[in-house]
Amino acid sequence: MNPPVPASVTALGEAPWQENLNQTMMCPDCKEMPPNLVEEFSSGDMVCGSCGLVLGDRIVDTRSEWRTFSNDDQGNDDPSRVGDGANPLLNGSQLQTTISFGDSGNGRSRELHRAQNKSTHDKATKGLLAAYKEIGAFCDALGIPKNVSDTAKHLFKMVDDAKALKGKPQEVLSAGCIFIACRQCKVPRTFREVFAVTRVTKKEIGRIFKALEKFFAAQNQEKMEQLVQNGGVVNPNDSYTTTTSTKAQQLCIRYCSHLGLGAFCQSVAEELAEKMSNVGALAGRSPLSVAAACIYMASYLTKQGKTPKEISAVAGVSDGTIRTAYKFLYVDREKLVRPEWVQNGKGDMKNLPIV
């Protein structure tokens, strides 16, 4: 029950007092009422129009994103917002309607859902989605960035569209695409690392890798020739580049990070790997062995010594292999170690293990 209104208020004809619960943004410097506020959508700021003080940021622009000229466009392509953006990794228009079946149990929506699935069922799209899901899971397990996953999916779609390499299992093709995508995106992974996640043997990964490289190179050559015949200009950035073998210095970056070594030790290991891979006694050896041996030497040189057992757990090579490769480094230590590495106490060659 509401309390009675006082007679004085009723006689004057005024409404009873009520607390104003509205929130008003006001410039703390000008304190103008009403406030003179300006929304700058280009920068996303709320600014006082009198003194220029920024009162808020991240303002959402509610205006239209563009003007529509649908009548002037070829094919009446109206850029209005109608649904989600098209996924370049899938085929078709992708503007489909899905019927749910949550209709309190009468079964009619379920029947419509089943009939709609049969009419729009696309085995090719379903297979691509399954392959993309598998590639995404493998990339997450390897801990590689999203651009590598997208590149691997794009490569898989190229193979699927061309109906090439028929008879190969899906997991084998996925493993090969991931391996090539890692090399193209400058985050190489070894056959052993891909095998540990995909369970595809190293021999099979090597076979599918060679087959995919041959297929992509031939397809790219055909595409370039057709472009030249049509009078186009070849863009070198759009062409497929054949990947090169993984270099030891590329592996040093990741292995040093896993071992918790500093940036100085990492740079020393990279330079050692670059020298020994080309002209040193380790030329022709596995990049894994070269990288592990260089990290072993660089860690003791920079006073952050790591044992061969610790390095072998990260690099995937035996500690005996690391010691054998290190012997060649130790023999040429006077030529390999630059004076800048040991100046001002940064490093000390006396810390190197004697063989």
Side-chain angles (χ1 to χ4, degrees), residues 203-261:
K203 189 175 183 179
E204 190 66 30
I205 295 175
R207 287 176 179 173
I208 195 65
F209 164 70
K210 293 180 180 179
L212 287 173
E213 284 273 80
K214 186 177 180 180
F215 164 74
F216 291 139
Q219 192 179 52
N220 179 72
Q221 183 66 23
E222 182 181 352
K223 178 182 176 183
M224 294 298 110
E225 290 177 356
Q226 185 177 2
L227 182 62
V228 172
Q229 289 178 359
N230 295 334
V233 180
V234 177
N235 186 0
N237 296 326
D238 294 338
S239 60
Y240 177 81
T241 305
T242 306
T243 59
T244 57
S245 60
T246 304
K247 298 180 180 179
Q249 52 266 33
Q250 295 176 324
L251 299 173
C252 288
I253 302 173
R254 186 156 48 92
Y255 292 165
C256 288
S257 177
H258 290 330
L259 291 169
L261 299 173

Side-chain angles (χ1 to χ4, degrees), residues 129-250:
L129 289 174
Y132 294 160
K133 184 178 180 181
E134 187 178 46
I135 291 175
F138 289 158
C139 291
D140 290 341
L142 283 170
I144 52 183
K146 187 177 182 299
N147 66 318
V148 181
S149 175
D150 293 340
T151 304
K153 293 175 183 178
H154 175 67
L155 295 175
F156 185 91
K157 186 176 185 300
M158 292 173 61
V159 177
D160 185 76
D161 291 344
K163 306 299 180 184
L165 303 177
K166 289 185 177 181
K168 292 290 185 181
Q170 178 177 296
E171 58 272 13
V172 175
L173 288 174
S174 300
C177 292
I178 291 173
F179 185 81
I180 295 176
C182 288
R183 285 192 173 184
Q184 286 190 338
C185 297
K186 309 300 181 183
V187 284
R189 294 295 187 271
T190 62
F191 287 133
R192 189 173 302 169
E193 290 175 301
V194 178
F195 160 71
V197 175
T198 61
R199 310 311 301 174
V200 179
T201 61
K202 293 185 288 184
K203 189 175 183 179
E204 190 66 30
I205 295 175
R207 287 176 179 173
I208 195 65
F209 164 70
K210 293 180 180 179
L212 287 173
E213 284 273 80
K214 186 177 180 180
F215 164 74
F216 291 139
Q219 192 179 52
N220 179 72
Q221 183 66 23
E222 182 181 352
K223 178 182 176 183
M224 294 298 110
E225 290 177 356
Q226 185 177 2
L227 182 62
V228 172
Q229 289 178 359
N230 295 334
V233 180
V234 177
N235 186 0
N237 296 326
D238 294 338
S239 60
Y240 177 81
T241 305
T242 306
T243 59
T244 57
S245 60
T246 304
K247 298 180 180 179
Q249 52 266 33
Q250 295 176 324

